Structures are given as structure tokens and as C-alpha cells.
Amino acid sequence: MIEKPLTPADVDFVTTLHGDDPVSFVVLMQPRGSKDRLLRAIDDIALGELEQAAQEGEEPAGKEALEPAERALNHSVAALRAAGSEARGHVVQRQPLEVLRGVVEETRADEVIVLTAPHFVEEFFHRDWASQARHKVGVPVLKLFSHAEDEDQTPTAG
């Protein structure tokens, strides 16, 4: 599960997690929702990103977020394929955890990777995707923190 396009560092990290073993990915992305706007703004403030918090209201949400989510998903799937992995993806508009569980069952996935930015409020209350997925999917869930395009670091586990 992702919430924004994968950066080159993200792609490199997830495609090399298992060494030389072949891996395939089913990438799920949910468009941004307006109900999460306040939590995202609080997270931005907690991270000291005041300008980002002020711009949160300008981010597309709901149906307007569908096209950017599709572009981000297509970019991410193409990047995984360019790195030599098998990949496909879906934009998930409703019940993302149920869709995730279905994908895990259908593909007999060994694990789930949730690649996300830090969300302090959601994580504190265990409402983040990884915490919720751990109770739904029946396989290990690895939460990784993604990095911005301009950072020269690899994602870290959380």
C-alpha cells in the first residue's frame, strides 16, 4: 500500500529487500480523502512543516484526487517494472483493507509492505494503515517510511 508515488530510493529499497529472490508487487493506492485532511495538517505541524499544513486545504480530495492517484500509481508500477520486478496496481476508492485482504488471499502473498510518510496522530492511536492491516491480512505487515524525492536516503522501517 502506498499513499504517494514511489521515489527512486523507495523502489530500490523494496525491490532489494529480499536480496536476489524474485519478487512481484500488487500496488494499492487510495486517493486522498477530505476526512483525513485535519490529521494530515496535525502531522505536518508535528513535523515542523507549517507551510505544508497551511496548504493541506488545497490538496485535491474525493473524486478530484482520483486522477492524481492514477498517475501516481502508474508511475510507481512503471518504476517497479523498470527495476526488474513484476508489478501491477489498483486505485482503491472504498474499503482499502478489505481489498488488501482480498489481494493477499488471491495472490497468496508472503507479506504486505505499507510505504508511508510518518503519521504521528494515526500511529499513536494505531489508526495508520499498517496497524490496521496487521489485524486483517494474516501475513506479516512491514511498515516503511518513504522519503521525499529530494532526500538522498533509503526508506526506514517503522
Side-chain angles (χ1 to χ4, degrees):
M1 291 186 79
I2 62 173
E3 60 185 9
K4 64 180 189 173
L6 297 178
T7 66
D10 296 335
V11 171
D12 184 55
F13 192 65
V14 299
T15 58
T16 59
L17 271 174
H18 299 288
D20 293 331
D21 293 341
V23 292
S24 62
F25 297 92
V26 178
V27 182
L28 301 180
M29 172 173 256
Q30 184 179 29
R32 295 176 68 112
S34 58
K35 69 177 185 171
D36 301 326
R37 203 171 267 160
L38 177 60
L39 289 176
R40 290 193 307 259
I42 292 170
D43 283 336
D44 291 339
I45 291 168
L47 291 168
E49 298 174 358
L50 300 179
E51 186 175 319
Q52 183 72 17
Q55 295 174 354
E56 202 55 62
E58 300 169 14
E59 289 285 326
K63 291 180 182 177
E64 294 160 359
L66 187 57
E67 186 178 328
E70 297 255 357
R71 282 195 312 267
L73 176 66
N74 291 338
H75 164 83
S76 299
V77 168
L80 290 166
R81 289 176 179 164
S85 294
E86 182 181 317
R88 61 185 167 105
H90 308 283
V91 172
V92 180
Q93 295 184 51
R94 289 185 164 70
Q95 301 177 327
L97 295 172
E98 293 302 320
V99 172
L100 178 61
R101 180 171 38 192
V103 168
V104 167
E105 291 171 0
E106 172 193 325
T107 62
R108 297 184 179 164
D110 294 323
E111 70 183 353
V112 168
I113 298 172
V114 176
L115 192 63
T116 181
H119 297 293
F120 296 117
V121 175
E122 292 178 32
E123 290 170 21
F124 181 78
F125 292 106
H126 302 282
R127 300 300 304 154
D128 59 297
W129 290 124
S131 295
Q132 292 182 57
R134 287 184 179 112
H135 301 287
K136 291 268 188 188
V137 298
V139 296
V141 176
L142 177 63
K143 179 170 66 174
L144 302 175
F145 293 125
S146 61
H147 286 84
E149 191 77 45
D150 58 349
E151 292 180 5
D152 192 26
Q153 302 174 6
T154 56
T156 56

